[in-house]
Amino acid sequence: MVLIVFLLAYLIRRQLDTANRVSGDKLWRHWFHRADTVKAGHENGVVGGLTLVVLPALVAGLGIYALDVVGWQIAGYPLEILILVLLMGVPGWGAVLRAYSMSWRRGDMQAAWRNVEDRLPADERGAALSPDALHLSVARVFMVTVFQRFFLVAFWYVVGGVGVAVLARGMVALAEQWPRAAARPRFERYAEILAWIPVRLLSVTFGIAGDLAGWLRESPDGAGRIHKNVADTLMVSANGSLTGYALDPNRFSQMHPEEWADFGARSLSAIRDLLNRSMLVWICALALLVIFGIA
């Protein structure tokens, strides 16, 4: 049932994303506001945040386990689907990327920047970014966001159950949305630890779902390094797996200067296709694990 539960949750979540409905980020933000008050000098403390993530993870995991013990396992499947739907999803990104691509095609980079400004890291929101730097920043943030809200959740759900999936997704939410910014770097380190295995698994999947020869050229010196973070691992492996210089604006502009206006849309389309194919590879791999009785 692991495959069926995840597949149903994934399909429902994709439909909700298309309709821009039900944002998990908003739910986490509302939940974290319970810890708005803190004693002076303890702004970088992490105990409160960890408690607010571990608690729902335990409730979800123990609740599903209890239903299994009492023989009501069938009642747990709809609950798991609901939890996964809430954990996954990138609502709003589709409209943002469409507006960004249209602005790029018109050559209005100021409008393109305004469309994605709120999605970029705080230190990369300067309007003086070059078109190349802006696009690479957008691509990086988009891939990391999709990884954290789909692949990370999927990996830990299959490996550890819905409770561990809640824990992994909650750690990402703490790193992004915890009310006290001083504590976020520590949560980010915890999130990186939880992402270490799944991001490298996704890196390998990029090679399978994309240009394997290109991935093999890039991966030994890039994505395979132990200390690379999530963003760098994804960028290096995706760059090798994509053809047509989709993540190399400088090279693309040199090889196809007459098509530069279409670069933004073509690059983002290639990235989205690679991510979709990679999820299909994961689903197929999960199906094989189920067939062989491993999952």
Side-chain angles (χ1 to χ4, degrees):
M1 286 300 293
V2 173
L3 173 62
I4 296 175
V5 167
F6 176 76
L7 189 57
L8 286 175
Y10 177 69
L11 293 175
I12 293 171
R13 183 66 257 181
R14 290 297 298 267
Q15 292 298 315
L16 290 173
D17 283 353
T18 301
N20 194 18
R21 302 284 298 275
V22 188
S23 172
D25 288 338
K26 292 181 179 178
L27 296 176
W28 284 112
R29 191 177 301 114
H30 178 74
W31 177 245
F32 292 155
H33 280 169
R34 297 172 177 271
D36 275 345
T37 58
V38 65
K39 295 181 180 179
H42 294 79
E43 290 81 2
N44 62 345
V46 299
V47 175
L50 292 176
T51 301
L52 289 178
V53 166
V54 171
L55 181 61
L58 284 175
V59 170
L62 293 177
I64 297 299
Y65 177 75
L67 290 173
D68 188 20
V69 169
V70 300
W72 291 358
Q73 187 176 17
I74 190 68
Y77 297 141
L79 182 59
E80 288 190 31
I81 292 174
L82 175 61
I83 293 173
L84 288 175
V85 167
L86 295 177
L87 293 179
M88 296 189 292
V90 288
W93 264 102
V96 168
L97 295 182
R98 283 193 298 271
Y100 170 85
S101 298
M102 290 175 63
S103 298
W104 184 288
R105 183 171 285 114
R106 294 194 307 267
D108 188 352
M109 298 311 302
Q110 190 67 236
W113 169 75
R114 284 195 297 269
N115 286 321
V116 297
E117 177 187 7
D118 294 339
R119 307 275 178 162
L120 300 178
D123 59 346
E124 297 181 12
R125 292 177 185 170
L129 283 175
S130 67
D132 294 5
L134 173 63
H135 186 76
L136 290 177
S137 181
V138 171
R140 176 188 296 261
V141 172
F142 177 64
M143 283 195 292
V144 170
T145 300
V146 172
F147 164 75
Q148 293 173 335
R149 287 153 178 80
F150 282 104
F151 294 93
L152 182 68
V153 173
F155 177 86
W156 286 114
Y157 171 65
V158 173
V159 171
V162 71
V164 183
V166 172
L167 178 65
R169 178 64 181 89
M171 206 61 65
V172 171
L174 285 171
E176 295 177 347
Q177 303 177 48
W178 185 240
R180 292 180 289 281
R184 290 180 188 173
R186 296 178 66 181
F187 292 132
E188 187 174 352
R189 287 195 293 271
Y190 301 153
E192 286 282 344
I193 293 172
L194 288 171
W196 196 92
I197 295 176
V199 76
R200 279 153 181 80
L201 181 59
L202 180 57
S203 171
V204 175
T205 309
F206 278 175
I208 298 173
D211 179 5
L212 182 57
W215 181 86
L216 289 173
R217 287 194 300 269
E218 293 285 347
S219 183
D221 296 326
R225 290 182 180 174
I226 294 177
H227 299 295
K228 276 193 174 293
N229 60 24
V230 168
D232 290 341
T233 301
L234 291 176
M235 287 294 286
V236 170
S237 54
N239 185 42
S241 302
L242 292 171
T243 59
Y245 310 110
L247 272 178
D248 191 345
N250 288 327
R251 186 65 172 161
F252 183 91
S253 63
Q254 293 172 7
M255 298 297 295
H256 308 286
E258 71 285 353
E259 301 178 19
W260 176 246
D262 294 326
F263 173 75
R266 289 173 57 171
S267 173
L268 292 175
S269 178
I271 292 170
R272 296 176 77 170
D273 288 346
L274 178 64
L275 290 168
N276 288 335
R277 292 196 303 271
S278 296
M279 179 56 75
L280 180 60
V281 171
W282 278 35
I283 291 173
C284 292
L286 178 57
L288 291 175
L289 292 177
V290 171
I291 291 172
F292 289 110
I294 300 175

